[in-house]
Amino acid sequence: MISSRIVARAFVGRVEELDHLIARRRQAGDGHGGLVLIGGEAGIGKSRLVTEFKVQLNRRKSALAAGSCREFAQKPLGPVLDVLGQLTGARAPNLASETKDERLEALAHAFRDVAAKRTTVVILEDLHWADLDLVQTLLVLTQRAAAERLLFVATYRDNEIVPGHRLFKWFGRLMRENATSHITLRRFDDRDVDRLIASAIEGTIPMPPRVLHAVRERSDGNPLFAEELLRNAVDSQRGGLEFGAAALPLSLHALVAERLQTCTDDARMLLRRASLFGRHFSIVDVCETFGGEPRSLQTALEDLCGLQLLDAVDVSAGRYRFRHALTRDVVYGEMEPDTLRPLHVTIAQHLERSGEGASAPEITGHHFWQAGLHERAAAYYELAGDAAIGDFAYGDAAEFYERAGEGFAGDRAACARLFARAAQALMFSGDVDAGLDRYERAARLALELHDIAGLVRNRVLMAGHLFDADRRQDAIALLRETLQIAERGDVSLHSRLRTRLAMTLARDGSLDQAWEVLDAIDPALLQTRAEWVGEYYLCASELHALRAEISEWKACFDRGAAIYEELGHPGPLHVAHANFAVQALCLGETALAREHHRIAAEFARTLHFDDQAALAAQVELFAGNLSEARRIVDEMLPSSRFLMRALSAQVAIPLAIALGDDRMLERYVDEKLLAQAGSQRLTATQARVAAAHALAFAATNRRGEARMLASRVLASMNTAFGMMLPVLAVALLLPQRAHELRPLLEAAAEPKDDRVGKGLLRFLNAAEAAHRGDGDAARRPAETGAALFAAIGWPIFEARCLEMAGKRSAALEIYRRCGAAGELRRLEFVSQSLPETNALGVLTPRERELAVRVASGKSNREIAQELTVGEKTVEKYLTSIYAKLGLVSRAQLAALVASVRDNRE
């Protein structure tokens, strides 16, 4: 197998540091140069920052040279002479025979001559390996550069430059210079590590979330560690191997071993003993287990902290930790297994006697497990899993539960319980496939044990996750299959399962079937479990929403939510408020949608969920608050989960089109999402994603693909509820097929309170009339639609209707108010480039002739016959017309021609 380095393509974090380097280059250009020292541990990203700085430099205005110090076999002043040779284009002078002062003057003079011609940037890497002459020379050059167009940038490992290091004094003097500024690179926080991981693995192979979680945890925020661990994980995945917690790439092992070589024998022994306790340890525990007095180890501890191998957590309490988890792994791995087992037993028994076993169950469980006493470890691991769930550390919880299940291998009831808990934790951590597998294992064990309630509970949770992963038919089939088994249990259990089936059918668009299932339930039969009653009323609320029965919708939601609030269940409350907010937006209750998304977001933060932001951005998009929608979208983290990707695409793509942001559009077009549907009928979620992409393709002159995709969307629609984006795509891209969509919209518009359905119906009718070139027929529904969308508070839809009504100025005003730069650019370009005497003057006479025929409703074939040209020629003309006028559809062209006629009149 070939193993290649995995490197993040994106430049993550360090924005302020990069800005500082650019600012110092600018100051150097004004004659105020000097030195920037970039310090940080090995792998922290010093070279990556310097590389990004090089990319930002304007090579026409700046001279650039780079060199690096070597750990061995380095000539005196070699790196300085190398960069000077690069700058002068000549071989650097031989300074061996000159005095030290003469060498300094010669070098300073040479650099001054280079900087006199143009601003010069000199990069020196790994300054911690420099010889004394080089650092002393750099000190003088920095002093001179303060008044020159000369900037030095030097990187070094700050954990190497400690008291006692031969260069410690001179680094101190460098930092005290007025012309020196200092950048210290800290470890990434979890958010930046996640961004780096997402960028690094893009285009490789899918990685389970638990593996990515392990990489993040073990990297400790060090970018190099994260990339090397990812490389190891990808290699393991390709080789069909498990990425073990102890797996450590040779590159990192060597890096850590290099640091350990500086330790004394006593310090090395202390590290080995401490490593038995894990990353965190107490020196008191070490001494109680192995003998000795804490005071006798104080010198070794101070040396290890000085070398930055250990960090003091609480000196007074004797608590320390390994600075890096990988350091602990290397030290621990140096000991033989036969030596380790009795030591782990000793530690575990000490923890039990001291009472710390229950307060730190994962530690006690670890020691019993490492000692081979798996059953004794299992109980502690289960406690550790429960504690991790309480701390929202879902990845850790899943590992603890699975380890406990291994320990309880002979107890089927315990295994069923632990599989279900592991499944829940895996789902929350984002590993859907692994979670479904554990749920099914738990369900099979429950069936073997005749635990029908356990079976139903696990299958209901499985169905919910299948549905969220857009495997809707699988979810419905699973619930129907389980319904037959549930008949063996009590009536309330069977009724609860029917409630979940009704909700699933409703979300799949099978409203009549959903009502049929729900109507067969007697709520009184659910009274044995309050949360089941709450679920019943929330299901009823959702079905009322689909019928636009506003008062019943609100009343049932309030009743169901009140039950969960009384029970204090944050998870179900988060789901309830998020679903209610989505329904509110679909019913045109914009303010209500925003409020309940806010409530759901509070629960999401508490639960450490990451699936709320896209929904909140959608509300702001529809409400015309494009800057706020963009802020939310920009803060969203990349995700490999289908639902998250789908939500992001159907929000970010129309937002990018409205903003006219091509980069954002390119970032969120996700054709792999479209490929997942294959040739099958699109689900509602897939239809919304496809509609967003159809609009994106139209906006980027891929009109044939756009129409084909819109056609698939149209063929897949069986409800208008929540399908605002698909209706928009069909109206703009396939107005000639409006009659196929109209029955759904007419049904949606029938309830008196469904303002969205009524508005979308008018919008569709106006688009169809405009496509026929009948401006009068388009005007009235367009004006009515605009009024409806204005009342709802959806200004972008209002402006679209105003365009078709020929009220371009009013539409422009709305787009300006919302910050819809893309729509503004399109309309303003058309307006500014149409002289009064010839409103379509940007077009050639042939293009104007063709545009009028398109606006009159003629097909490409009819136009080709009338103009005696081929259909492909007509398509080329159309592409040119759309590009010149900034339009994306025949409907828009028809509306433009109609408004031009009105202006002439």
Side-chain angles (χ1 to χ4, degrees), residues 35-309:
L35 168 68
V36 180
L37 281 171
I38 304 175
E41 63 188 32
I44 202 65
K46 303 181 293 294
S47 296
R48 183 62 188 270
L49 174 61
V50 167
T51 299
E52 193 68 21
F53 174 53
K54 292 178 185 177
V55 171
Q56 300 287 334
L57 285 176
N58 186 329
R59 299 299 178 86
R60 292 192 298 273
K61 296 182 179 179
S62 301
L64 172 67
S68 59
C69 303
R70 293 200 299 266
E71 187 177 6
F72 50 85
Q74 182 168 252
K75 296 179 181 178
L77 298 180
V80 171
L81 295 175
D82 285 346
V83 296
L84 192 56
Q86 293 173 37
L87 293 168
T88 60
R91 192 170 181 178
N94 183 2
L95 305 176
S97 61
E98 299 178 13
T99 67
K100 189 170 185 177
D101 286 344
E102 289 172 338
R103 287 203 304 270
L104 282 173
E105 284 301 321
L107 286 171
H109 182 76
F111 278 110
R112 185 172 64 246
D113 286 348
V114 172
K117 298 175 182 176
R118 58 177 173 161
T119 304
T120 300
V121 177
V122 174
I123 294 171
L124 297 171
E125 296 214 55
D126 297 323
L127 198 63
H128 53 279
W129 283 330
D131 56 46
L132 181 59
D133 277 356
L134 193 153
V135 176
Q136 291 174 337
T137 300
L138 182 59
L139 176 63
V140 173
L141 293 175
T142 299
Q143 293 167 345
R144 303 284 180 89
E148 297 172 356
R149 295 192 300 167
L150 177 61
L151 178 67
F152 291 94
V153 177
T155 69
Y156 73 103
R157 296 182 187 174
D158 56 6
N159 56 350
E160 301 275 353
I161 308 299
V162 295
H165 191 284
R166 58 191 173 79
L167 298 177
F168 183 76
K169 165 188 170 183
W170 294 98
F171 264 84
R173 290 191 61 178
L174 272 176
M175 291 183 185
R176 289 196 297 273
E177 284 297 321
N178 291 333
T180 298
S181 59
H182 187 219
I183 293 173
T184 300
L185 296 186
R186 305 296 182 192
R187 299 180 198 176
F188 282 165
D189 59 20
D190 285 351
R191 187 181 183 88
D192 280 338
V193 173
D194 286 341
R195 291 184 185 279
L196 180 140
I197 289 174
S199 174
I201 65 174
E202 185 179 0
T204 60
I205 59 176
M207 300 294 294
R210 58 188 173 78
V211 172
L212 300 182
H213 174 76
V215 168
R216 184 180 73 185
E217 292 301 305
R218 296 184 70 213
S219 69
D220 281 331
N222 184 298
L224 175 66
F225 289 7
E227 290 174 346
E228 287 298 302
L229 288 169
L230 275 175
R231 174 183 181 174
N232 206 35
V234 169
D235 290 347
S236 298
Q237 192 89 339
R238 284 174 174 157
L241 304 174
E242 180 69 19
F243 176 67
L248 187 62
L250 176 63
S251 56
L252 297 187
H253 196 142
L255 185 62
V256 175
E258 176 189 330
R259 300 285 299 127
L260 293 172
Q261 288 175 1
T262 59
C263 298
T264 63
D265 290 342
D266 288 344
R268 193 70 168 262
M269 178 60 72
L270 174 57
L271 283 178
R272 286 175 181 167
R273 291 176 172 176
S275 72
L276 287 160
F277 292 83
R279 185 176 179 186
H280 293 257
F281 65 93
S282 163
I283 198 63
V284 175
D285 289 339
V286 173
C287 290
E288 287 182 357
T289 304
F290 297 102
E293 289 291 328
R295 284 179 296 179
S296 66
L297 300 175
Q298 198 57 43
T299 300
L301 285 168
E302 290 174 359
D303 289 345
L304 290 169
C305 289
L307 291 171
Q308 297 190 22
L309 292 168

Side-chain angles (χ1 to χ4, degrees), residues 515-590:
W515 273 113
E516 182 182 341
V517 172
L518 193 70
D519 285 341
I521 300 171
D522 181 355
L525 297 177
L526 296 169
Q527 294 301 331
T528 55
R529 295 288 294 272
E531 66 266 31
W532 295 359
V533 182
E535 188 171 298
Y536 169 84
Y537 282 109
L538 290 174
C539 177
S541 171
E542 191 161 330
L543 296 188
H544 284 303
L546 293 170
R547 286 181 172 177
E549 295 165 346
I550 304 296
S551 58
E552 294 89 344
W553 165 61
K554 292 178 181 177
C556 287
F557 171 80
D558 289 343
R559 191 165 180 179
I563 292 172
Y564 281 119
E565 285 171 6
E566 187 175 345
L567 293 171
H569 289 182
L573 278 169
H574 164 254
V575 174
H577 283 283
N579 287 340
F580 188 76
V582 170
Q583 295 155 20
L585 183 65
C586 295
L587 291 169
E589 301 283 345
T590 310

